């Protein structure tokens, strides 16, 4: 029987209650024993609902790390504190899952990679869209070479009107940006993973505040306050990789467009193409004719799947705990997530300066 892992949670807000805790509680070899949040009521509520009988509550993560004998820590706080808490948890001897994006800045992301290497502890980032059935199937096609050389990709993260108006999403100081760093990061991670290409050469980016200052917007979560909307409402990037491949990234919380897609990608390869626009579709040429295949993802046939419906968050958490338990490399490596953060930062820098950013 595998070890029962003691898990501590830092940040007991929306992402903790919406993804991590409901999935972790389903695992027999996990015990949620410590909950930390700067708002003590949030930590208390999470502990009461998901914690073990002896679960303890903290408002300072440093105190939690000092007093608790933990194996794993999940860092689920605003972006600007990811690196500080994750590095402290690694240095305290814990394996760490940190929510996306890896960090507010690329330098912080690199410090996290270095800390994981220095401590010998596992570090992963919460890019849960890799664990969807369509993503896992498409990844297998890419690995098997069915698409050939993927030389063009598009990363889609477009909402027509869905600006998150709670928490610190609109606070540039806390988050580092808006839709690009929030949902664009998912689309970019998914796309680079499919391509297995983490060597960007040059980045060109733009960002906009075209709708952010409008009042009484028809927003999914109610009108936003233009005075508090300090991040972009849309951002776009073009990334040329060292091997010549091109990646186009689109991200928006609010834009006048009917083409709405989130955490999806489109791939064009030398042998075939694929997209997630309307289910998972594969396109190409065969015997002198063009074809389009629609993949039935109803059950089974994908790594981590056993024929029954299972949401991506459950698969993500199970895969993460298995990586710790069996000493495997996590599906999302810190080195991969760091490249995502470096590209996002380059897009913001290019948008600020109006110049292309050449990557080292």
């Amino acid at each position: 029987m595998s070890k029962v892992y003691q898990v501590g949670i830092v940040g007991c807000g929306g992402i903790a209650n919406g993804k991590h805790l409901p999935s972790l509680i389903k695992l027999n070899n996990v015990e949620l024993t410590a909950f930390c949040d700067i708002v003590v009521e949030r930590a208390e509520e999470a502990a009461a609902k998901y914690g073990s009988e002896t679960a303890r509550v903290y408002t300072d993560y440093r105190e939690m790390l000092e007093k608790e004998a933990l194996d794993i820590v999940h860092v689920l706080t605003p972006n600007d504190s990811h690196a500080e808490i994750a590095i402290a948890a690694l240095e305290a001897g814990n394996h760490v899952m940190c929510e996306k994006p890896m960090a507010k800045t690329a330098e912080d992301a690199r410090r996290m990679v270095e800390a994981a290497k220095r401590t010998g502890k596992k570090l992963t980032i919460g890019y849960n869209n890799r664990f969807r059935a369509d993503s896992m199937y498409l990844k297998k096609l890419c690995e098997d070479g069915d698409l050939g050389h993927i030389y063009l990709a598009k990363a889609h993260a477009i909402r027509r009107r869905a600006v998150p108006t709670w928490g610190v999403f609109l606070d540039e100081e806390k988050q580092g940006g808006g839709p690009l760093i929030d949902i664009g990061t998912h689309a970019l991670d998914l796309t680079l993973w499919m391509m297995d290409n983490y060597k960007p050469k040059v980045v060109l980016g733009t960002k906009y505040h075209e709708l952010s200052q409008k009042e009484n917007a028809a927003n999914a979560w109610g009108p936003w306050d233009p005075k508090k909307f300090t991040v972009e409402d849309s951002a776009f990037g073009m990334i040329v990789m060292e091997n010549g491949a091109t990646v186009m990234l689109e991200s928006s919380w609010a834009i006048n467009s009917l083409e709405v897609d989130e955490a999806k990608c489109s791939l064009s390869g030398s042998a075939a193409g694929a997209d997630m626009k309307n289910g998972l579709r594969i396109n190409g040429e065969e015997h002198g004719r063009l074809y389009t295949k629609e993949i039935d993802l109803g059950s089974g046939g994908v790594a981590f799947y056993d024929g029954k419906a299972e949401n991506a968050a459950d698969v993500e958490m199970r895969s993460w705990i298995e990586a710790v338990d069996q000493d495997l490399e996590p599906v999302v490596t810190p080195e991969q997530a760091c490249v995502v953060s470096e590209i996002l930062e380059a897009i913001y820098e290019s948008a600020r300066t109006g110049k292309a950013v050449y990557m080292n």
Side-chain angles (χ1 to χ4, degrees), residues 267-286:
L267 308 173
S268 296
S270 56
D275 70 64
M276 297 167 157
K277 288 278 188 175
N278 183 21
L280 179 57
R281 304 182 300 184
I282 315 300
N283 67 83
E285 175 195 344
E286 201 170 61

Side-chain angles (χ1 to χ4, degrees), residues 70-83:
L70 300 170
D71 301 300
I72 299 169
V73 171
H74 282 223
V75 180
L76 315 177
T77 59
N79 300 345
D80 66 340
S81 61
H82 282 184

Side-chain angles (χ1 to χ4, degrees), residues 99-114:
E99 249 309 314
K100 62 80 194 168
M102 189 170 188
K104 178 182 171 181
T105 69
E107 177 57 31
D108 277 349
R110 288 189 286 269
R111 290 198 301 118
M112 292 168 69
V113 171
E114 192 278 330

Side-chain angles (χ1 to χ4, degrees), residues 74-351:
H74 282 223
V75 180
L76 315 177
T77 59
N79 300 345
D80 66 340
S81 61
H82 282 184
E84 173 189 327
I85 300 170
I87 292 171
L90 289 165
E91 291 178 341
N94 302 285
H95 303 290
V96 173
M97 169 175 273
C98 179
E99 249 309 314
K100 62 80 194 168
M102 189 170 188
K104 178 182 171 181
T105 69
E107 177 57 31
D108 277 349
R110 288 189 286 269
R111 290 198 301 118
M112 292 168 69
V113 171
E114 192 278 330
K117 290 179 179 178
R118 184 177 68 252
T119 61
K121 294 298 178 179
K122 297 187 188 300
L123 170 64
T124 194
I125 309 301
Y127 285 117
N128 56 284
N129 288 288
R130 292 195 190 189
F131 299 89
R132 301 187 328 234
D134 58 342
S135 301
M136 299 298 287
Y137 188 95
L138 181 54
K139 176 62 174 175
K140 187 68 167 60
L141 291 183
C142 294
E143 287 179 337
D144 289 349
D146 288 31
L147 302 189
H149 166 57
I150 302 171
Y151 57 90
L152 174 64
K154 298 177 182 179
H156 310 292
I158 295 290
R159 297 175 181 173
R160 187 180 180 187
R161 292 290 191 285
V163 177
T165 53
W166 63 90
V168 296
F169 280 102
L170 304 183
D171 186 337
E172 186 167 15
E173 184 63 29
K174 289 286 187 184
Q175 291 294 88
L180 179 62
I181 203 169
D182 177 40
I183 57 176
T185 190
H186 272 302
L188 180 59
D189 171 74
L190 195 62
T191 303
L192 297 182
W193 186 55
M194 294 299 174
M195 300 172 77
D196 191 24
N197 192 339
Y198 292 91
K199 295 183 177 181
K201 179 180 179 182
V202 60
V203 176
L204 185 65
T206 56
K207 68 175 184 177
Y208 300 92
H209 291 270
E210 295 293 332
L211 303 184
S212 63
Q213 301 309 301
K214 296 182 182 295
E215 296 183 345
N216 302 315
N219 189 45
W221 293 295
W224 57 79
D225 182 350
K227 297 185 183 66
K228 296 180 179 178
F229 206 139
T230 62
V231 297
E232 79 278 0
D233 55 41
S234 299
F236 308 92
M238 182 178 79
I239 306 105
V240 179
M241 311 303 284
E242 287 185 4
N243 70 347
T246 301
V247 178
M248 309 296 295
L249 171 60
E250 55 181 21
S251 65
S252 181
W253 283 338
I255 191 170
N256 290 320
S257 173
L258 296 178
E259 293 188 17
V260 177
D261 293 291
E262 189 170 337
K264 296 180 181 179
C265 64
S266 300
L267 308 173
S268 296
S270 56
D275 70 64
M276 297 167 157
K277 288 278 188 175
N278 183 21
L280 179 57
R281 304 182 300 184
I282 315 300
N283 67 83
E285 175 195 344
E286 201 170 61
H287 306 303
R289 299 287 183 177
L290 298 177
Y291 70 81
T292 302
K293 297 178 182 177
E294 296 184 5
I295 308 302
D296 181 1
L297 297 165
S299 65
V302 182
F304 303 119
Y305 284 78
D306 56 8
K308 62 182 180 182
E310 190 172 21
N311 68 52
D314 288 352
V315 181
E316 178 188 28
M317 296 304 154
R318 178 155 52 84
S319 170
W320 161 235
I321 299 302
E322 285 177 355
V324 171
D325 188 53
Q326 301 174 25
D327 193 22
L328 304 172
E329 185 174 69
V331 172
V332 181
T333 70
E335 290 82 4
Q336 292 169 342
C338 185
V339 173
V340 173
S341 289
E342 289 173 337
I343 292 174
L344 295 177
E345 186 168 277
I347 292 173
Y348 280 127
E349 176 67 11
S350 175

Side-chain angles (χ1 to χ4, degrees), residues 2-18:
S2 67
K3 172 181 176 179
V4 175
Y5 292 92
Q6 307 300 301
V7 177
I9 306 295
V10 183
C12 300
I15 197 65
N17 287 278

